[in-house]
Amino acid sequence: MKTIPPVMLRELQRAELGEAARLLGRGMCDNPANVRAFRIPDAERRCRALARFFEPVLRGLYQRGLIFGAFRDGTLMGVYGMARPGHCQPTALEKLSVVPAVVLGNPAGTALRVLRWAGEWARRDPAEPHWHLGPVAVDSHLQGQAIGGAMLEAFCARMDDRRALAYLETDKRENVGFYRKFGFTVVAGAEVMGVPNWFMHRR
């Protein structure tokens, strides 16, 4: 019986953010909010559009928090980011840097939909100091191999060490049960662009 090598987690370097963005594009290609915001029927094109979107998002998060990768045999298999307390929301400059990625090569109205979506999430951000988890994804062809669980275990251990409140948003119903396994509870729910969203925290 073949032994599966363990997952190794480490902080990503700036030079690795492009690869991480492409993984996020693939891993989150079918998320309902992404499908609704980008309105690109072809999955491969939507993955590429999301990768372009996540590049500036990760560059901003790299300044405001931490970005980790999950590796097996040197191959990046998953990514999770976290913003430090008081630095959850992107700066005005970060928002501007994302505009070309959502305007160029995408259907009309994509930028407005993304802004509306981000605004709905931002206004629900807790006032209490917290670490903001996200984005989180495992590469599309590797999901179901406990990689996401390894990433969440590491994140939660970090939060426990700091006795810190953690917070996240998800637009996938199946993710709610997954995050509950790690101590997150739903504190609110709302439809954004007609897509159900869940807002969760962990004390």
Side-chain angles (χ1 to χ4, degrees):
M1 186 168 143
K2 186 177 180 181
T3 303
I4 299 175
V7 174
M8 190 271 284
L9 303 171
R10 67 165 173 81
E11 193 172 347
L12 296 182
Q13 303 302 310
R14 183 184 292 273
E16 297 172 304
L17 298 184
E19 183 184 2
R22 290 188 291 276
L23 184 148
L24 291 172
R26 294 189 299 270
M28 302 177 78
C29 185
D30 294 327
N31 281 34
N34 292 336
V35 172
R36 188 65 57 91
F38 283 81
R39 294 188 182 178
I40 301 173
D42 181 75
E44 189 173 332
R45 280 191 58 221
R46 191 166 63 248
C47 287
R48 291 198 297 267
L50 284 166
R52 291 195 301 271
F53 166 70
F54 278 118
E55 281 212 45
V57 168
L58 290 182
R59 286 198 299 269
L61 182 57
Y62 188 80
Q63 302 298 322
R64 294 181 287 108
L66 302 168
I67 303 170
F68 283 82
F71 293 83
R72 185 174 283 156
D73 289 335
T75 299
L76 182 64
M77 309 181 80
V79 173
Y80 67 103
M82 61 188 88
R84 294 184 179 90
H87 299 276
C88 291
Q89 298 306 315
T91 65
L93 191 59
E94 284 178 60
K95 292 176 183 176
L96 281 174
S97 73
V98 173
V99 170
V102 292
V103 171
L104 301 176
N106 290 322
T110 300
L112 290 176
R113 289 189 293 273
V114 170
L115 283 172
R116 180 188 165 199
W117 169 24
E120 288 291 328
W121 279 15
R123 73 186 185 87
R124 292 175 170 83
D125 209 60
E128 187 178 351
H130 63 279
W131 283 81
H132 198 135
L133 177 63
V136 180
V138 174
D139 212 337
S140 55
H141 66 292
L142 298 170
Q143 294 173 8
Q145 298 185 24
I147 299 164
M151 296 194 300
L152 261 292
E153 283 179 9
F155 171 78
C156 291
R158 179 180 288 267
M159 295 301 101
D160 290 344
D161 286 345
R162 289 162 172 73
R163 296 175 177 258
L165 175 69
Y167 175 80
L168 62 85
E169 311 97 342
T170 184
D171 60 330
K172 294 186 76 172
R173 188 178 300 274
E174 58 265 39
N175 284 354
V176 175
F178 171 74
Y179 288 122
R180 277 181 171 146
K181 292 177 184 176
F182 295 92
F184 283 88
T185 58
V186 175
V187 291
E191 282 204 355
V192 181
M193 300 181 297
V195 173
N197 282 240
W198 293 266
F199 305 89
M200 309 181 72
H201 75 194
R202 179 185 186 274
R203 293 197 174 275

